[in-house]
Amino acid sequence: MIRRVAYKKAVLAGTLGAVAWDAAARLLIWLGLPLFDLVRVLGTMIFGAASPVWQWWTAGILMHALVG
């Protein structure tokens, strides 16, 4: 059986899922739970650990959304 994949819907669902997971993880991190911050890791790979939050967060969330 051959199925057609709606690529636009799949890409949108993956991106929204990545953003939703980051929002949930960010809330839990702010509440003090020890979680792995994937967005921070991805963002600081580009700009370094001493970069301002707006730089690493922007780069990290874009990479996370693209992979999602």
Side-chain angles (χ1 to χ4, degrees):
M1 181 159 112
I2 298 174
R3 300 178 110 184
R4 290 187 148 210
V5 176
Y7 287 108
K8 289 181 184 179
K9 287 182 182 179
V11 169
L12 181 63
T15 302
L16 290 177
V19 171
W21 169 247
D22 183 60
R26 187 81 37 219
L27 176 66
L28 293 173
I29 289 170
W30 284 336
L31 291 174
L33 286 154
L35 288 176
F36 180 73
D37 191 357
L38 181 63
V39 173
R40 184 180 190 110
V41 170
L42 292 172
T44 55
M45 282 186 345
I46 304 260
F47 291 109
S51 63
V53 173
W54 67 269
Q55 278 185 336
W56 65 256
W57 188 85
T58 305
I61 197 70
L62 285 173
M63 286 193 293
H64 185 51
L66 285 172
V67 170

